[in-house]
Amino acid sequence: MAFRDGPFENLKVPLAWTAAAMIGAGLVAATLLLIADGKTREAQDRFGPVRAGFTMGAGPVGGLFAAPVRWTGHVTDYIGGYFNAVEENRRLRAQVAELQPWRDQAIALKNVNARYEAMLGLRTEPPVAMATARSISEARGPFVNARLIDAGSGRGVRVGNPVINEHGLVGRVVGVSPTVSRVLLITDVSSRIPVLIDRSDARAMLTGDGSGNPRLEYVRGQDSVRSGDRVLSSGDGGGIPRGVPIGVVAKGVDGSWRVKLFSDRGAIDYVRVMLFEDFGQLADPEALNAPPLAALDTAPPPSPEQAASIADAQARRQAAAQQAAQDAARRAAAAATAAAPPPQPTPAPEQPT
């Protein structure tokens, strides 16, 4: 039977009385709790050691029962981490695959920049203007050892210009168009380069024979060439500046002296063309043919102090010259007087008898 169907179905309690009764019950409960708390503290004072001992004994037991819970949590974390690691590994693999082309491109650009820096670091004495170019193909046929570069007469390249890479001399320009030039390598059979041995300063001719190591011919001097000597351009003939590195000397299997080229240390793809024709372009012929004292006309006028000093020095020089002339005249007169014969006495006239 429901409560509303019982004898209390018509019972109605005013709301104010209900609230007052609840507040009163709350105050009574609070008072009882305060009294019980005081008694609890007294009991704690009496049974404190017993409770502490119980707590010390119950602590390890509670830890023993809590260990499986901790182990379960660790296992759960390990399994979750494993599955998360698999997902992370897949994500990283996809990222690596995406970045691999960028890595390859960065390495290629780094190598190109390193070669550019090495080429820009090359200096000649005296300084010569250069044009950077790229080897676009290797010529075949009669020009076995020749290259085509993407720099021509439009950039100042002329026939005969030396070509170098970051290691040393590569060859010389033998053909020019507005945008493309042909470079004859120093290994070609028609190549002849005057060189010198760095150690002994001996002159020789570097002759290409189609192999990778050209020969040294017409070496001058005794014991002027040894294995390991550096070979540089001599500048003889005015075609190539002096001191361009070429290679090192080595003994060939045929007994002749050959040169291991520095340019073979790397690919011949980026080169620099030395815009050098002869030594006449390095100086003004009019300046070389000027009279020795031509530059005196361009000197600035002296200041008043300098003019006074110059006039005083000139007056002193003139006075010293006059004094020296007078002294010389007196000495000459004294010498002439000393050299003259003494006068002979005149005989007295005879008296008539």
Side-chain angles (χ1 to χ4, degrees), residues 124-326:
T124 59
E125 293 294 338
V128 178
M130 299 187 186
T132 304
R134 185 170 59 91
S135 177
I136 55 179
S137 69
E138 181 177 358
R140 300 293 181 180
F143 298 97
V144 177
N145 294 322
R147 297 279 181 132
L148 297 179
I149 59 175
D150 60 351
S153 58
R155 299 177 57 184
V157 179
R158 299 291 182 269
V159 173
N161 288 159
V163 179
I164 60 176
N165 64 359
E166 67 270 27
H167 301 295
L169 185 65
V170 172
R172 300 181 67 176
V173 176
V174 295
V176 177
S177 70
T179 58
V180 178
S181 300
R182 171 172 289 152
V183 178
L184 187 70
L185 304 183
I186 57 179
T187 56
D188 190 85
V189 293
S190 59
S191 175
R192 302 292 187 272
I193 305 293
V195 297
L196 63 86
I197 309 302
D198 191 19
R199 178 184 57 84
S200 62
D201 201 31
R203 297 308 198 265
M205 184 67 68
L206 186 66
T207 304
D209 59 357
S211 65
N213 304 114
R215 296 193 311 270
L216 276 178
E217 296 182 346
Y218 309 108
V219 181
R220 301 177 183 176
Q222 296 293 332
D223 193 28
S224 56
V225 179
R226 298 177 184 174
S227 295
D229 287 344
R230 294 180 73 245
V231 179
L232 311 175
S233 62
S234 64
D236 297 338
I240 300 177
R242 177 188 174 100
V244 179
I246 297 178
V248 294
V249 177
K251 198 73 170 180
V253 294
D254 56 352
S256 62
W257 291 112
R258 294 184 174 269
V259 177
K260 298 181 191 178
L261 300 177
F262 289 147
S263 58
D264 288 343
R265 294 179 177 176
I268 305 176
D269 47 4
Y270 293 98
V271 297
R272 303 193 77 187
V273 182
M274 303 174 66
L275 306 181
F276 178 86
E277 297 179 11
D278 54 55
F279 290 100
Q281 73 183 83
L282 303 179
D284 185 8
E286 297 297 333
L288 295 178
N289 297 327
L293 302 180
L296 295 180
D297 297 337
T298 61
S303 63
E305 294 79 5
Q306 293 174 344
S309 177
I310 293 172
D312 181 66
Q314 186 176 4
R316 290 176 182 273
R317 287 194 299 269
Q318 291 177 355
Q322 293 176 358
Q323 183 66 30
Q326 294 175 1

